[in-house]
Amino acid sequence: MGLFSALAVFACVACVGSDPTTSPPGGSDATNDKDATSAASDARQGPDSGAGSNAAPGPPGSVKASAVAVTRTVSTLAGQATGGFAEGTGEAAKFSEPSGVAVDTLGTVYVADKANHRIRKISPAGVVTTFAGTGATAFAEGNPGTATFFLPIGIAIHTSGFVYVADSGNNRIRKVTPSGIVATLAGSATGDWADGNGASAKFFGPSGIAVDSASNVYVGDTINQRIRIVTPAGDVTTIAGSGAADFINGTGAGAAFKYPSGVAVANGTVVVCDASNERIRKVTSAGQASTLAGSGAFTPFADGIGVAATFNSPQGVALDTDGNAYVADQNFHRIRKVTPAGVVTTFAGSGQGAFADGPAESAAFKSPYGVAVDSALNVYVADTYNNRIRKVVSVGIRELAVKWNAPSNVGSSPITGYEATATAAGQAPQTCTSTGALTCSMRALASGVSYAVTVTASNSAGTSDASAPSSATPN
């Protein structure tokens, strides 16, 4: 039996290079192309082969491995692929094109279940119930069992527990008490534009809604191409927008939007998803509109700063306590993050219009519309055409993703499996295994603890030496 070669391991989190005794000239960066070429060659020749130039008697040689902390994960809080209406827990519940989400201080999520014409509620455990609405496409005030909505799209919640709804098909802004009693704050049946009080004010297809600490309600009045404000007494005024579907940075009626949708507010400044202008805009309390991010082009996809970034029909927006905006970028099928300085990155989503839970980079959404963020920086997404409510977790994930290359020496028989082992002082060893894929995930690790991760390969003749350890720390 030949000696097993000890191969270098890269700790992606700590950015530790390969051992200089095993690296070619140029250091760890210079090895990347060679490693990739070698791995591709190894994958073609083994692990399913047991003969050839890479075969030697006995167990396989050691592998080259890396471990990295998973920084964000996407899971399904409730809902399933089949659209419909059903109460229940998690995947037993059904939604039909959910469009808006809001979360209260206790972690309860409220959903504007658009095509079901209802407001739904999801407990932190994923139990789904109806908060208000019968499901009839009509207009009626009253208790949860008699009140009706027509295509509710936007939803917001105040710390007092009052819920506000952009009842798009009814052209009204609705207010729901903590016990589910529904009333109209402003608007009337006729889709039009008019400032005024209560029913004398007019909206046209409002879709975005936010509420500040003083219970002032901000509205993305979509077909009216305006941003409106509604006081607690129901007085409606226009903050910005001329009514023309255009793009103009300016003040009050000197500004123009093109089908503005989601809005969020902090310290009197409104962040707007200017959907058909493919931009994220800001409007000050004085009505001054400016562009935070977005070039106005919807292709190609680009992260970047300010106008270097692109969006494709951004619809929903929410703000965290640091002023970062989370945007449901509908046609790019991603959740984007925009800092107060206009730096745009992808927060979650691969860009495929599909469904997949898992690490944020590989997770998939299908036309996400609404977004909300809680105090723990968990982000909730109304994943409209997946008919699901998704949750993106960024803190305390306690997971490592481990990857490795197939060994250059597969040994005397085909590889039958791999095992990764994570060890840390004071912690029980954790393992994950794979019979074919060159990756596995370790979960339920200790947050903030540095683990040493090694990988072995096995065949019918035995098990390889462990790879050199890779160091990684779960968040």
Side-chain angles (χ1 to χ4, degrees):
M1 183 185 304
L3 293 175
F4 300 134
S5 60
L7 300 177
V9 177
F10 301 93
C12 300
V13 171
C15 299
V16 178
S18 58
D19 188 327
T21 63
T22 61
S23 296
S28 60
D29 289 342
T31 69
N32 290 344
D33 292 340
K34 182 177 178 181
D35 289 342
T37 302
S38 175
S41 175
D42 291 344
R44 286 192 297 270
Q45 299 180 60
D48 291 328
S49 73
S53 61
N54 64 329
S62 59
V63 303
K64 184 177 293 186
S66 65
V68 60
V70 176
T71 57
R72 290 185 293 277
T73 58
V74 180
S75 61
T76 297
L77 180 61
Q80 55 179 275
T82 304
F85 173 74
E87 313 281 37
T89 300
E91 293 183 359
K94 290 185 179 182
F95 300 89
S96 186
E97 298 181 17
S99 58
V101 285
V103 59
D104 69 14
T105 56
L106 299 177
T108 299
V109 177
Y110 294 80
V111 180
D113 194 2
K114 183 180 71 173
N116 275 325
H117 313 285
R118 291 173 168 97
I119 306 304
R120 314 286 290 281
K121 188 165 75 168
I122 311 174
S123 76
V127 179
V128 180
T129 55
T130 295
F131 182 58
T134 66
T137 56
F139 170 73
E141 314 276 40
N143 65 49
T146 60
T148 56
F149 300 87
F150 183 20
L151 299 175
I153 293 180
I155 189 167
I157 187 165
H158 189 263
T159 53
S160 63
F162 282 88
V163 173
Y164 298 86
V165 179
D167 193 0
S168 182
N170 279 321
N171 299 304
R172 291 173 167 98
I173 304 304
R174 313 289 290 278
K175 181 178 179 180
V176 190
T177 71
S179 60
I181 306 300
V182 181
T184 295
L185 180 62
S188 62
T190 304
D192 204 341
W193 176 73
D195 286 338
N197 179 266
S200 67
K202 295 186 186 298
F203 299 88
F204 199 172
S207 63
I209 194 165
V211 60
D212 67 16
S213 59
S215 297
N216 296 302
V217 175
Y218 299 79
V219 180
D221 195 0
T222 304
I223 301 175
N224 276 326
Q225 320 294 346
R226 292 173 166 98
I227 307 304
R228 318 282 292 279
I229 184 172
V230 189
T231 70
D235 293 319
V236 180
T237 54
T238 298
I239 306 172
S242 65
D246 202 349
F247 170 70
I248 301 173
N249 283 325
T251 302
F257 302 87
K258 194 171 185 180
Y259 300 99
S261 55
V263 293
V265 63
N267 301 316
T269 296
V270 184
V271 177
V272 181
C273 285
D274 195 1
S276 292
N277 274 324
E278 323 295 350
R279 292 173 168 98
I280 307 303
R281 312 279 294 279
K282 285 198 309 183
V283 182
T284 68
S285 57
Q288 175 67 48
S290 61
T291 299
L292 177 62
S295 67
F298 60 84
T299 187
F301 169 81
D303 285 332
I305 301 174
V307 296
T310 58
F311 297 87
N312 194 343
S313 193
Q315 296 292 345
V317 61
L319 295 172
D320 67 19
T321 53
D322 292 325
N324 298 300
Y326 300 83
V327 176
D329 197 354
Q330 185 182 40
N331 291 339
F332 277 144
H333 310 289
R334 291 173 166 98
I335 306 304
R336 315 287 290 280
K337 182 179 180 180
V338 187
T339 71
V343 179
V344 181
T345 54
T346 297
F347 186 71
S350 65
Q352 288 186 300
F355 170 74
D357 283 335
E361 295 81 2
S362 58
F365 302 89
K366 193 171 184 179
S367 300
Y369 200 100
V371 65
V373 58
D374 67 18
S375 59
L377 301 182
N378 298 305
V379 173
Y380 301 85
V381 180
D383 193 3
T384 302
Y385 290 120
N386 275 323
N387 296 301
R388 292 172 167 101
I389 306 304
R390 315 286 291 281
K391 183 177 181 179
V392 188
V393 176
S394 300
V395 178
I397 295 171
R398 303 190 300 156
E399 181 175 339
L400 295 179
V402 186
K403 297 181 180 180
W404 56 87
N405 294 333
S408 57
N409 168 22
V410 299
S412 58
S413 61
I415 300 291
T416 56
Y418 299 91
E419 182 175 72
T421 302
T423 58
Q427 305 293 324
Q430 300 288 326
T431 62
C432 62
T433 60
S434 172
T435 56
L438 302 179
T439 184
C440 67
S441 294
M442 294 183 175
R443 299 179 175 88
L445 301 172
S447 294
V449 172
S450 178
Y451 284 83
V453 180
T454 58
V455 178
T456 57
S458 299
N459 65 11
S460 60
T463 299
S464 73
D465 288 341
S467 65
S470 174
S471 177
T473 302
N475 73 6

